[in-house]
Amino acid sequence: MTATTLYTAVDEAATFRVRMVDLTSVAKHVAEVHKLSPLATHAMARALGCAALYPFSAKHLDRVSLQFTGEGPLKMLMVDVRILDDQRLGVRGLANRPQAWAWGIHPRSDEIGAGLLPGGGLTVLLQEPSGKATRGQVDLVNGEIDDDFAAYFRDSEQLPTDVQVRVRLDDDGMQRCVCRMVQALPGLSSLPSLPPINLDIDVVTQMEQVVGTPMSVWKASATQQVEFFCSCSRERALAGIEMLDRDTLIDMIVVDKGASVTCDFCTSHYAFSADDLVAILDTKDKEPSLPS
Ligand SMILES: [Zn+2]
């Protein structure tokens, strides 16, 4: 899996921070894994872009989950971002309706808000390294996902924020996905007007235009690798099976001759034989009962 680079820098006058990433490879991978329709591909790329752009601080955060819901054909998209080794960021996503489509929504246009609307909201779940979790929620502004994500920051942190995730689709699927977040630093009450994302220019050149200086003299600049990452494992799948009650386990052994678990995020399969399940049943039988 190819990793991509997220660039961060502060403008010349130190009034706002820009984050930009070309997320094409990751968004393409997720669309292929989940066999997404054009509409779902576009919406998922935007959601993944928001996850990758989240101002992630490894000191304060372990994982951030974003859930976009609505009554439209997409129903729900969930993405998350977590910190991996070497400060790399891992993102992944799942679509409730991978085949979503609707008359009147052109998946190749920049307006796909009707995929989620009407109604709906964005739920942000922040998980700290200590395990403590906090949850924030805002109503959808227009269902465009990037705008809704920006609105979350204006609402929760009162910081002028602009988020753009632009996607190009053709008959072969996703061709390009470029993401940008511009956030005011404390003291700036409104962002300057910014050029729209140009899908034909590389990310560094576009960053230079917004920041106002060449990359070599960017202030407070940083780079971080972003890649597709799923935290599922055979152990986790097994832990899920171990929580089942005896009756269900016995049915799986006798009727199904085993069990298989598929990860919703990456579609990895984990198969367990009847013998594996008998071993789990044995462990349950040996669990010490409470002294009477
Ligand atoms: Zn997985």
Side-chain angles (χ1 to χ4, degrees):
M1 172 58 46
T2 47
T4 180
T5 306
L6 169 73
Y7 298 88
T8 306
V10 166
D11 75 306
E12 175 85 86
T15 53
F16 59 84
R17 178 175 283 115
V18 187
R19 298 161 73 77
M20 254 188 118
V21 59
D22 179 337
L23 207 63
T24 309
S25 59
V26 174
K28 210 172 175 138
H29 175 75
V30 172
E32 283 165 9
V33 162
H34 294 286
K35 299 183 172 64
L36 300 180
S37 67
L39 174 61
T41 297
H42 194 153
M44 176 58 78
R46 286 199 181 174
L48 288 165
C50 295
L53 291 169
Y54 195 95
F56 206 100
S57 142
K59 214 198 297 179
H60 303 112
L61 291 171
D62 207 31
R63 175 183 166 185
V64 176
S65 303
L66 309 175
Q67 193 178 17
F68 298 88
T69 55
E71 291 159 35
L74 287 163
K75 290 279 182 260
M76 188 276 282
L77 291 168
M78 189 180 151
V79 289
D80 67 19
V81 53
R82 69 180 67 220
I83 193 86
L84 310 174
D85 303 340
D86 306 328
Q87 300 300 307
R88 287 174 303 133
L89 293 173
V91 295
R92 61 179 187 169
L94 73 87
N96 182 267
R97 298 282 164 88
Q99 286 306 311
W101 70 280
W103 292 114
I105 309 176
H106 301 291
R108 293 185 197 178
S109 78
D110 282 339
E111 273 140 46
I112 56 161
L116 278 171
L117 296 180
L122 162 61
T123 304
V124 179
L125 193 72
L126 306 174
Q127 202 173 308
E128 296 174 18
S130 64
K132 187 180 169 240
T134 41
R135 192 165 166 272
Q137 197 168 13
V138 289
D139 290 340
L140 294 185
V141 178
N142 59 9
E144 297 293 346
I145 299 172
D146 50 1
D147 290 339
D148 300 302
F149 184 61
Y152 169 79
F153 286 96
R154 293 194 293 266
D155 205 69
S156 66
E157 297 180 19
Q158 281 77 49
L159 279 180
T161 304
D162 178 77
V163 179
Q164 278 189 30
V165 181
R166 285 292 163 268
V167 177
R168 178 179 291 151
L169 293 171
D170 70 12
D171 288 346
D172 296 323
M174 235 248 342
Q175 296 307 310
R176 201 138 151 77
C177 172
V178 176
C179 324
R180 183 183 77 195
M181 180 175 201
V182 181
Q183 198 158 39
L185 294 173
L188 185 71
S189 56
S190 66
L191 293 172
S193 78
L194 301 161
I197 283 179
N198 185 330
L199 288 174
D200 296 313
I201 302 179
D202 72 277
V203 161
V204 170
T205 308
Q206 295 194 60
M207 276 281 286
E208 288 177 330
Q209 288 169 0
V210 177
V211 172
T213 53
M215 188 183 183
S216 55
V217 291
W218 282 352
K219 291 178 182 170
S221 70
T223 57
Q224 223 171 343
Q225 295 300 299
V226 182
E227 62 189 55
F228 175 80
F229 174 82
C230 189
S231 54
C232 70
S233 66
R234 189 174 166 82
E235 287 67 38
R236 285 190 183 208
L238 190 64
I241 293 179
E242 282 168 351
M243 299 203 321
L244 299 172
D245 60 42
R246 277 186 176 75
D247 265 3
T248 312
L249 277 168
I250 291 169
D251 282 351
M252 285 173 149
I253 293 165
V254 179
V255 183
D256 306 326
K257 319 277 189 228
S260 94
V261 177
T262 303
C263 173
D264 287 335
F265 282 97
C266 70
T267 68
S268 291
H269 292 285
Y270 300 98
F272 300 95
S273 67
D275 286 346
D276 293 335
L277 301 181
V278 169
I280 295 172
L281 202 59
D282 282 351
T283 326
K284 273 193 186 282
D285 288 338
K286 283 184 201 132
E287 271 166 14
S289 49
L290 293 170
S292 52

